[in-house]
């Protein structure tokens, strides 16, 4: 049965160390994390689980990405051999706390717009099969304090529309196409 | 067959006068609008059409609402007897260009948060049947210049989740529940 899920935020703060450890070494014995945060079932932990289910590809189209927990999940997928591509907004990628530099440094392909309008999407596509989209920017502030929604949709029609949009933007933001004015 | 649609923005600017005129007086002869904008099929005109299909209720949960065209569509529905309820963000409702004051003045019920986190949803529910949700704030700038997405979903499971969230927020933001500190 295809996944159909709606996540609402704010999410209680939670520890995702165990989720990350399991994803890094499936089957290995996990040690409880010494941090004081609960590791229960929250909107954030559900979002992380969906992302960590990626086996082949993860396409990210994110206006703002400053949440270190989500950045660690993305880095882990990249290390595990998942093909990660990230499109973001040029005006927000440089803001304090942005994780874009860290992800680029880790070797992840990042592209951004060169224009005045915002690249305001907030979606992810897992294995060209599962669409994760909504109002949520990937910031700790949004996750913990805002009213937000995220839809998880495994429906070929919706996924294809977003995958096509991703490929259009990926090509449009190819640095080879940049124009520079004096 | 239930509606399943994805709208991507930016949308070309377009004239929606004819759509509004038809919705105000169905069947009446329409006069072409003298404005220079084209009235073709755009993401904005499709969004307006979906909204104008409301017959009984329109529940709006919008972080930012400053687009005069969309405000006119909402006012028209209100005048036509559709029960419109609007939830918005207290910090954004007062910004220059916001349509919230105008809608309140027209007699539409508006509620907003009283707290520091943003009410960051951007969704509408038509007749408790059709969900319209995505990254798009209802501002002309977003519509005409940003990369944005809007999903139109007529699926009882997703609609119910959002309708429940709307009712929770509507109750939580009831002014009778406000707390005032000295």
């Amino acid at each position: 049965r295809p996944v159909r899920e709606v996540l609402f935020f704010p999410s209680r703060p939670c520890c995702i160390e165990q989720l990350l450890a399991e994803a890094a070494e499936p089957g290995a014995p996990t040690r409880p994390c010494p941090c004081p945060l609960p590791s229960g079932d929250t909107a954030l932990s559900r979002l992380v689980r969906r992302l960590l289910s990626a086996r082949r590809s993860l396409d990210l189209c994110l206006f703002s990405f400053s949440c270190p927990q989500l950045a660690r999940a993305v880095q882990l997928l990249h290390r595990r051999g998942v093909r990660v591509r990230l499109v973001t907004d040029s005006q927000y990628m440089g803001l304090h706390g942005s994780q874009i530099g860290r992800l680029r440094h880790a070797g992840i392909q990042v592209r951004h717009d060169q224009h005045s309008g915002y690249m305001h999407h907030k979606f992810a596509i897992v294995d060209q099969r599962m669409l994760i989209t909504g109002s949520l920017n990937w910031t700790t502030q949004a996750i913990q304090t805002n009213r937000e929604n995220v839809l998880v949709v495994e429906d070929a029609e919706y996924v294809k529309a977003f995958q096509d949009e991703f490929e259009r933007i990926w090509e449009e933001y190819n640095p080879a196409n940049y124009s520079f004015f004096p």
Side-chain angles (χ1 to χ4, degrees), chain A:
Chain A
R1 189 176 123 76
V3 171
R4 297 147 61 89
E5 193 176 20
V6 184
L7 307 175
F8 289 113
F9 294 79
S11 171
R12 279 173 293 122
C14 70
C15 172
I16 61 162
E17 292 307 316
Q18 213 138 351
L19 287 179
L20 294 173
E22 277 162 27
E25 276 190 86
T30 57
R31 282 171 299 189
C33 177
C35 86
L37 292 174
S39 57
D41 183 41
T42 66
L44 174 62
S45 71
R46 283 173 179 238
L47 174 58
V48 169
R49 262 180 218 279
R50 293 299 181 199
L51 294 173
L52 292 177
S53 75
R55 290 295 169 267
R56 292 177 305 281
S57 66
L58 179 66
D59 292 322
L60 300 169
C61 205
L62 296 168
F63 175 54
S64 173
F65 190 171
S66 61
C67 171
Q69 290 177 301
L70 291 173
R72 287 187 55 207
V74 170
Q75 259 186 280
L76 192 153
L77 291 170
H78 171 67
R79 275 202 304 276
R80 215 167 64 182
V82 170
R83 182 202 188 199
V84 179
R85 295 184 293 175
L86 197 161
V87 164
T88 192
D89 183 78
S90 57
Q91 288 163 81
Y92 270 67
M93 63 185 279
L95 293 194
H96 183 70
S98 169
Q99 297 291 313
I100 301 299
R102 166 184 179 170
L103 294 170
R104 271 194 157 146
H105 195 72
I108 290 172
Q109 297 180 75
V110 177
R111 295 185 179 179
H112 57 78
D113 64 302
Q114 212 202 4
H115 301 289
S116 54
Y118 287 131
M119 200 314 292
H120 201 246
H121 289 304
K122 312 106 174 27
F123 70 82
I125 306 172
V126 173
D127 292 339
Q128 304 203 313
R129 183 185 40 85
M130 185 195 291
L131 170 65
I132 298 170
T133 189
S135 66
L136 183 78
N137 291 310
W138 287 20
T139 74
T140 304
Q141 190 250 327
I143 291 167
Q144 294 187 358
T145 68
N146 289 0
R147 311 279 320 207
E148 306 272 6
N149 65 78
V150 170
L151 282 155
V152 185
V153 182
E154 233 175 23
D155 172 298
E157 218 173 305
Y158 287 119
V159 172
K160 184 180 184 315
F162 279 77
Q163 188 73 53
D164 290 350
E165 172 75 351
F166 183 87
E167 302 298 343
R168 269 192 300 275
I169 298 180
W170 186 253
E171 197 38 52
E172 186 183 320
Y173 294 179
N174 186 336
N177 299 334
Y178 282 3
S179 60
F180 297 96
F181 298 100

